[in-house]
Amino acid sequence: MIDSAAPASPATDTAADTADAPVAKPWIMGIAPYVPGRATADDGRRIVKLSSNENPFGTSPAARDAYRSAADHLERYPDAAAADLRAAIAAHYGIEAERIVYGTGSDEVLHLAAGTFAGVGDEIIYVRYGFAVYDIATRRVGATPVVADDRDYATDVDAILAAVTPRTRVVFVANPNNPTGTYTDRGEIARLHAGLPRDVLLVLDQAYTEYLDADDDDGGLDLARTQPNVLVTRTFSKIFGLASERVGWGYGAPALIDAMHRIRAPFAFGIGAGLAAIAALGDDDFVEQSRDHNRKWRDWFAAEIAQLGNAGLRVVPSKANFSLVLFEGEVTAESAYQALMAAGYATRWLPNQGLPHALRITIGAEADMRGVVAVLRDLAGAAI
């Protein structure tokens, strides 16, 4: 029963009553909320999720076992320093544990970078068709986003350098880039860093780096080790298959890491998540299987889409675990998105990122990739 004497709810307040209510900062209201990839159809059906770049093999069995081992310790706070995890990351990648900051996924580390080194009156640069979190992290701290032009959907170093002003404080570059999958080689990354002022932080977001071939290395960790203004970020959400546990980290100069530690959450993830991440680092076979499968079916998918070029479909060259398919003919990205959804496949349509003519499609299991191609082939055939 509702108490008739209770004060009016916010929904029934008058305009005069709310005139003195807290008002969000204008830069906060300018943020377009992050939209995650869909996992269900419009009618609520569970469908094949190819919209969030998750690992089709799931998680390493060793990581699952490690996670279960934490069930008897749910009343305990995790180690606020994440000492064991940082030590495991350091040993695995040959870096220094004391120069690692952790966060709730690499998303938090990106927010830490913006929040530590930029604010109102400052500028943060990122590339057109870059990761949506960059814009959110920029606006959240009241900084001004500056979008550098792309070069056929890839990072254009010259465009970034041309966008630098005395107000620039941070540059975000994902490599491979999300949502395009494009890759910037070591020479171009070095040229970008050399062209930036020393007081500008270069953040190299390497969320998909484990999907690269062995001879692909953009030199990010080496730059972060030797330069005072480079931060590399990584995640356990992609090839390690721990997206639900939200474990990410960053590596950079001691002064950078010390400053970022001052504003990070003290307990970014639970004990089980930390144990699972440590175990995942040790399961090289799982990582290699995931990488090999991704390379095989990403290349196969690109070749199949290339055969639909007469209908205006093409794939942006990708080195990540997804492909960006462009629809430049009669078949539209929206119609393909709906057709795939009806067939049981959730993909990522990106009009809110300036890509109304594109779908980002995760490389899934063999049957899923064949099913997606069959749908797109039917659409293309009907349009020719």
Side-chain angles (χ1 to χ4, degrees):
M1 179 181 294
I2 298 176
D3 182 357
S4 60
S9 69
T12 61
D13 286 347
T14 66
D17 293 330
T18 59
D20 295 327
V23 177
K25 293 296 185 183
W27 53 83
I28 297 297
M29 299 312 296
I31 293 174
Y34 182 80
V35 179
R38 293 185 60 175
T40 59
D42 291 337
D43 58 7
R45 286 179 296 125
R46 299 291 297 183
I47 54 182
V48 177
K49 189 181 179 187
L50 302 176
S51 57
S52 296
N53 304 336
E54 296 155 336
N55 191 325
F57 292 116
T59 306
S60 156
R64 285 199 297 270
D65 290 344
Y67 183 83
R68 292 189 188 101
S69 73
D72 292 333
H73 307 287
L74 299 183
E75 76 284 4
R76 302 292 186 189
Y77 284 107
D79 173 17
D84 291 343
L85 176 59
R86 290 190 297 113
I89 292 171
H92 186 80
Y93 292 102
I95 57 180
E96 303 81 15
E98 65 273 15
R99 296 176 59 166
I100 296 172
V101 62
Y102 71 83
T104 307
S106 56
D107 286 7
E108 185 189 5
V109 183
L110 298 172
H111 278 282
L112 291 176
T116 304
F117 300 102
V120 177
D122 297 330
E123 296 175 348
I124 294 179
I125 299 173
Y126 49 87
V127 299
R128 184 163 63 161
Y129 312 131
F131 186 30
V133 166
Y134 303 153
D135 186 78
I136 296 173
T138 299
R139 296 179 187 275
R140 179 187 179 190
V141 300
T144 300
V146 176
V147 181
D149 286 340
D150 65 298
R151 181 174 294 167
D152 194 21
Y153 300 93
T155 297
D156 186 334
V157 168
D158 292 318
I160 293 174
L161 293 176
V164 174
T165 75
R167 294 182 297 279
T168 305
R169 293 293 174 266
V170 180
V171 173
F172 285 120
V173 173
N175 203 32
N177 186 48
N178 175 23
T180 65
T182 54
Y183 176 72
T184 305
D185 65 28
R186 187 185 190 105
E188 284 294 277
I189 293 295
R191 187 167 73 85
L192 171 60
H193 174 258
L196 291 175
R198 299 289 281 180
D199 62 349
V200 172
L201 176 65
L202 173 60
V203 180
L204 295 175
D205 176 0
Q206 297 184 341
Y208 298 93
T209 196
E210 283 85 8
Y211 283 105
L212 295 174
D213 293 334
D215 57 349
D216 288 323
D217 178 6
D218 67 8
L221 288 178
D222 290 337
L223 282 173
R225 176 181 293 110
T226 60
Q227 302 300 320
N229 64 332
V230 178
L231 177 74
V232 166
T233 66
R234 298 278 184 98
T235 183
F236 282 88
S237 295
K238 303 306 177 186
I239 206 167
F240 295 110
L242 289 172
S244 74
E245 298 315 298
R246 313 304 301 128
V247 183
W249 56 277
Y251 172 71
L256 299 179
I257 301 304
D258 175 71
M260 293 169 67
H261 271 306
R262 295 167 187 266
I263 63 169
R264 69 167 174 79
F267 306 109
F269 44 77
I271 294 173
L275 292 173
I278 292 170
L281 285 173
D283 195 341
D284 292 336
D285 290 342
F286 177 82
V287 171
E288 190 63 31
Q289 176 193 24
S290 300
R291 185 185 298 116
D292 289 346
H293 171 89
N294 184 73
R295 183 189 305 111
K296 175 181 178 179
W297 290 101
R298 183 188 62 205
D299 292 350
W300 176 87
F301 182 69
E304 292 293 315
I305 297 302
Q307 296 180 28
L308 306 180
N310 288 343
L313 278 66
R314 72 177 175 107
V315 171
V316 175
S318 172
K319 291 204 172 188
N321 69 332
F322 58 85
S323 290
L324 188 72
V325 181
L326 306 177
F327 295 80
E328 301 171 325
E330 291 189 23
V331 179
T332 67
E334 183 178 9
S335 65
Y337 173 80
Q338 297 296 347
L340 287 165
M341 186 74 75
Y345 302 100
T347 60
R348 195 70 174 269
W349 182 38
L350 298 164
N352 59 329
Q353 288 186 247
L355 290 164
H357 58 296
L359 296 182
R360 193 193 67 188
I361 302 175
T362 303
I363 304 303
E366 175 182 351
D368 301 332
M369 302 316 296
R370 292 188 182 278
V372 167
V373 165
V375 173
L376 296 179
R377 187 182 295 121
D378 287 345
L379 284 174
I384 297 176

